[in-house]
Amino acid sequence: MSTPSRQSLPTDPVWRQAAAVLWWPVNAVQALFTLCWTLPGLLIAYVIHAVTRSQKLPLALARRIWAPGLMFGAGARLRVEGADQVDWSRPQVLVANHQSMIDIPALFRTSPVPLRFVLKEELTRVPFLGWYIRAMGMIGIARGDGRKARASIEQAAELVRGGATLVAFPEGTRKPEGLPSPFKGGAFQIAIAAGCPVLPVAIQGSGSVLQPGGFKVRPGTITLRFGEAIETAGLQPGDRQALARQAHEAVTSLMGGTA
């Protein structure tokens, strides 16, 4: 007679519930740390920008202090592959799958250049965070309002033409596990309008470190794999969906899957 596996034991749900209870005070402390680490950082960045009118120093602080602090607080380790092959001197649009909110500090920590993110417009209305987003030149995209969305896309393209590196999560929502959902076309319209490359990035493990449903954090490794840049020279606005499919295939391949 075979011995039942650990997964099939009837007590497993009880152990899972007990583990969740044991993790609760740890996660409560981590949530408090995240808040106390982030809010002063946003205010300091905003004050520096107000005084200097520069985004360079606040974004450097995000990369060198804020992001490493959050990764440490979460017990997250970073494994980075392919970043040394990227030409970071070129303005470009990074497109990544999106597993968790911790993707943002992971990308900040990994990139050697300042990053601006394409975000949901709703985030620009959040106190403190919205001030930071606008001050740092990040782009809020209005979903469901075509005129405002087109204006935001042109603003983003102008930012990239000026030398910025932009990050977008073209799935449109977080997907904690599995291969990425099909990519929406907005980020690729930005790249085509700016005439810059699209850089595919695959993120794995972040959905397990910061899990959906409340503030459930577990130590783990987050892997970021950088692919080969996809050139957009000669492409027209009507090519954005084909470009989106090509980038989706690249990210899926970097994750070890097949689109």
Side-chain angles (χ1 to χ4, degrees):
M1 181 176 176
S2 61
T3 303
S5 66
R6 175 179 170 81
Q7 287 75 13
S8 65
L9 291 174
T11 54
D12 269 2
V14 176
W15 283 111
R16 285 196 294 270
Q17 291 176 4
V21 170
L22 292 173
W23 271 109
W24 187 90
V26 176
N27 288 166
V29 171
Q30 289 173 313
L32 180 62
F33 169 79
T34 298
L35 188 65
C36 293
W37 187 255
T38 298
L39 280 181
L42 293 177
L43 289 172
I44 290 169
Y46 190 75
V47 169
I48 291 174
H49 175 262
V51 172
T52 66
R53 311 309 302 172
S54 171
Q55 299 166 349
K56 185 175 180 180
L57 179 55
L59 289 172
L61 291 175
R63 184 173 77 251
R64 296 176 182 174
I65 297 176
W66 175 75
L70 287 189
M71 301 299 289
F72 173 80
R77 299 175 298 277
L78 271 181
R79 182 166 65 225
V80 182
E81 301 174 9
D84 56 339
Q85 303 300 316
V86 175
D87 182 359
W88 293 103
S89 67
R90 304 175 68 187
Q92 52 200 321
V93 176
L94 276 63
V95 293
N97 63 303
H98 195 17
Q99 293 192 334
S100 165
M101 287 303 292
I102 205 169
D103 295 340
I104 292 173
L107 284 162
F108 261 128
R109 182 72 181 92
T110 303
S111 171
V113 299
L115 298 179
R116 277 85 169 182
F117 285 78
V118 177
L119 305 161
K120 295 182 293 185
E121 188 190 41
E122 297 91 314
L123 292 175
T124 66
R125 297 193 288 270
V126 176
F128 299 107
L129 178 61
W131 303 341
Y132 179 83
I133 288 171
R134 290 189 293 272
M136 294 303 105
M138 300 189 189
I139 306 297
I141 301 292
R143 298 181 295 182
D145 187 328
R147 183 184 60 82
K148 289 181 69 175
R150 286 190 295 272
S152 296
I153 286 171
E154 178 52 38
Q155 181 186 358
E158 184 64 28
L159 191 67
V160 177
R161 284 193 289 266
T165 295
L166 204 65
V167 181
F169 299 116
E171 289 175 281
T173 188
R174 294 191 296 276
K175 187 179 180 185
E177 298 178 350
L179 298 178
S181 301
F183 286 171
K184 295 176 169 43
F188 306 96
Q189 187 173 341
I190 293 169
I192 291 171
C196 73
V198 167
L199 182 66
V201 184
I203 303 174
Q204 291 179 289
S206 60
S208 298
V209 171
L210 181 56
Q211 302 172 13
F215 196 85
K216 294 192 291 187
V217 180
R218 303 293 183 268
T221 299
I222 300 173
T223 301
L224 284 82
R225 295 189 183 92
F226 291 79
E228 295 184 9
I230 303 171
E231 300 296 335
T232 63
L235 296 184
Q236 301 301 315
D239 297 319
R240 68 175 189 168
Q241 293 301 338
L243 181 60
R245 287 192 293 272
Q246 185 179 356
H248 182 270
E249 291 172 0
V251 172
T252 301
S253 178
L254 288 167
M255 295 180 74
T258 303

